[in-house]
Amino acid sequence: MKYQVRDRIFGIGDDYWIEDEHGRKAFLVDGKALRLRDTLEIKDASGRALITLREKMFSIRDAMTIERDGEALATIRRKRLSLLRNHYRVSLVEGTELDVSGKILDREFAVEYDGELLAEVSRRWLSVRETYGVNVVREDADHALLLAVAVCVIRMAEKEREER
């Protein structure tokens, strides 16, 4: 399943739709304004919150947490000991780890579990400017989680670039 995401710098208070490959609104990314730290919610088309993304406060390294129903689901951090500059690790609470690597700022990267491709992010598939696609390869994968991972790593890479 491919999704189309509007590509703009994720500011606090920004809301935008993620559309499915048929152009239907599938998920709403709701930026929460007036918060001490970055907070985004991914909601289904009816407005029900599925995933909450939060910047982790007081972290030694930049990190974001992914929550579902108020419970921590995963933490995302940039790998410091990686030869690749754009490499992130997603640590799920049950112990599973996902690797995210590629050209994050160019919107050309992959999300893998144990060497198996789960999703790929690319601008190549779309002719619409300022958008990128997220192709969830495995049908049994958690689409909302993989979209949240893509949104998180792009947000983290953008913040890192701004801080330089």
Side-chain angles (χ1 to χ4, degrees), residues 86 88 104-105 152-161:
N86 291 300
Y88 290 79
I104 308 295
L105 293 173
C152 269
V153 297
I154 290 169
R155 175 68 187 128
M156 291 173 74
E158 291 282 349
K159 269 187 91 171
E160 186 177 308
R161 181 176 69 183

Side-chain angles (χ1 to χ4, degrees), residues 72-86:
L73 182 61
T75 300
I76 300 178
R77 286 189 173 86
R78 188 166 81 80
K79 283 180 76 171
R80 296 288 182 193
L81 301 174
S82 173
L83 297 175
L84 298 172
R85 195 170 130 229
N86 291 300

Side-chain angles (χ1 to χ4, degrees), residues 12-77:
I12 296 175
D14 282 352
D15 297 347
Y16 56 93
W17 283 98
I18 297 174
E19 297 174 353
D20 68 14
E21 58 195 341
H22 305 291
R24 293 183 300 242
K25 293 177 178 177
F27 299 96
L28 174 67
V29 179
D30 182 4
K32 297 296 180 186
L34 304 174
R35 300 281 171 103
L36 185 59
R37 56 188 176 172
D38 282 355
T39 302
L40 302 167
E41 285 184 340
I42 295 183
K43 298 178 177 182
D44 64 15
S46 66
R48 184 174 56 99
L50 302 173
I51 302 267
T52 302
L53 314 171
R54 296 183 200 279
E55 180 180 33
K56 209 165 182 181
M57 296 296 287
F58 310 115
S59 177
I60 294 172
R61 296 188 301 183
D62 287 341
M64 288 191 81
T65 58
I66 299 175
E67 299 172 3
R68 179 176 278 145
D69 299 324
E71 299 290 324
L73 182 61
T75 300
I76 300 178
R77 286 189 173 86

